[in-house]
Amino acid sequence: MKKQKTKSKRSKTGAAKRKTAARKPAARVSNKRAVQASAAGTNPARVRAILQKLDEAYPEVTCALDHENPFQLLISTILSAQCTDVRVNQVTKTLYVKYPTPKDFAYADPSELEQDIRPTGFFRNKTKSIMGAGKKILEEFKGEVPRTMEQLLTLPGVARKTANVVLGTAFGIASGVVVDTHVIRLSGRLDLSRNTDPKKIEQDLVKVIPQEKWILFSHQLIWHGRKVCQARKPRCIECNLERLCYAKDKTV
Ligand code: SF4
């Protein structure tokens, strides 16, 4: 009886050991994944070299959306969702003459406004967003576009990307990095982030890019994505980052 007990104790200990042994490689794998998720391409020297190359290629770039004040930039950024900046600029050329203030948008005729912004796509939702943003700015922010991320995020149709564009470009406030479709793609290709969720990509970028560069870096990456590192066929032969880049879909 005593022997049997010992045997069962031993076999339990053996099973526990086997379990622990089986767990060890899994833990190692998950640690490896954690390291991979933080992107190997973010060592400070490499990031500095990337920033230097971007400065050389795009020393003074800024937002491509035409605007004369923070409110117009806010509206243009909302309109730019799923639409090119060129198309937005064509639409806003006459839009801001017809609707010069937040009040004009807030109390617009929705079906008329829908037709006015129709070429930018998703015009029904965008109409709701810009009318709602106009109303809220009028009623809660005394007609002025708010200057904090927290307040901007309370406006209809405004998420972090739009808020970062407005804070950075209109007010010169470095609140984060603008993560649009170009920044998502380029952060991956340049191995600055291995995440796919825009919020997580922004968190990765703000860790490795110095804050004083956040505003310019966003514009530089967006311009590079438009001009050179295009989605379908990146023009790697023309890219001054080529020697630093080891993207799988490089074309040279
Ligand atoms: S080398 Fe090619 S893939 Fe890499 S950043 Fe330049 S254009 Fe993009």
Side-chain angles (χ1 to χ4, degrees):
M1 194 64 184
K2 216 177 181 182
K3 262 189 184 174
Q4 264 178 356
K5 260 190 180 173
T6 316
K7 198 177 174 189
S8 105
K9 202 176 174 185
R10 258 189 215 145
S11 76
K12 258 189 191 169
T13 316
K17 271 186 187 165
R18 279 196 297 279
K19 248 185 177 176
T20 316
R23 258 188 230 131
K24 272 185 184 165
R28 253 183 253 129
V29 168
S30 93
N31 283 344
K32 204 173 164 191
R33 277 196 197 123
V35 171
Q36 279 174 350
S38 69
T42 56
N43 86 63
R46 182 174 185 268
V47 173
R48 270 199 304 278
I50 290 174
L51 293 177
Q52 195 184 330
K53 290 285 171 196
L54 287 172
D55 282 347
E56 283 166 23
Y58 312 98
E60 282 176 6
V61 280
T62 185
C63 182
L65 293 168
D66 295 338
H67 61 281
E68 285 176 3
N69 55 52
F71 181 70
Q72 287 185 356
L73 179 60
L74 172 71
I75 300 302
S76 291
T77 312
I78 293 173
L79 292 177
S80 73
Q82 310 288 321
C83 181
T84 64
D85 290 354
V86 174
R87 178 69 59 87
V88 172
N89 289 339
Q90 283 165 356
V91 168
T92 56
K93 211 172 187 179
T94 48
L95 190 74
Y96 296 144
V97 176
K98 188 169 174 183
Y99 306 87
T101 66
K103 195 174 176 186
D104 296 302
F105 280 103
Y107 301 116
D109 172 353
S111 43
E112 200 178 326
L113 183 54
E114 278 178 6
Q115 294 314 310
D116 290 331
I117 64 164
R118 194 182 178 116
T120 68
F122 301 95
F123 57 92
R124 290 200 180 90
N125 276 342
K126 288 180 182 176
T127 295
K128 277 186 202 142
S129 295
I130 58 181
M131 286 184 70
K135 256 184 210 138
K136 193 145 192 173
I137 285 172
L138 210 58
E139 289 164 7
E140 293 183 26
F141 300 105
K142 298 178 183 163
E144 298 290 328
V145 176
R147 290 172 179 240
T148 69
M149 173 63 73
E150 204 184 4
Q151 290 171 325
L152 276 165
L153 292 178
T154 67
L155 302 176
V158 175
R160 281 196 69 88
K161 185 196 89 174
T162 301
N164 275 326
V165 170
V166 172
L167 289 170
T169 303
F171 300 127
I173 298 170
S175 52
V177 172
V178 176
V179 179
D180 74 343
T181 175
H182 299 294
V183 177
I184 292 173
R185 184 176 70 255
L186 268 73
S187 299
R189 281 182 176 160
L190 290 169
D191 201 21
L192 297 175
S193 172
R194 293 183 181 179
N195 281 302
T196 49
D197 172 58
K199 266 190 200 162
K200 289 186 180 163
I201 292 174
E202 189 185 351
Q203 284 163 8
D204 288 341
L205 293 176
V206 296
K207 270 183 222 149
V208 295
I209 308 294
Q211 187 170 8
E212 67 271 17
K213 292 292 242 177
W214 288 353
I215 299 173
L216 183 61
F217 173 77
S218 306
H219 295 311
Q220 289 172 326
L221 230 50
I222 292 168
W223 277 94
H224 194 58
R226 279 203 195 110
K227 303 265 174 209
V228 183
C229 192
Q230 292 153 351
R232 287 203 192 131
K233 246 192 178 180
R235 301 151 80 108
C236 305
I237 201 149
E238 297 167 28
C239 178
N240 73 338
L241 294 166
E242 195 269 320
R243 292 184 66 178
L244 294 161
C245 176
Y246 45 84
K248 274 190 203 140
D249 52 351
K250 251 175 86 170
T251 53
V252 285

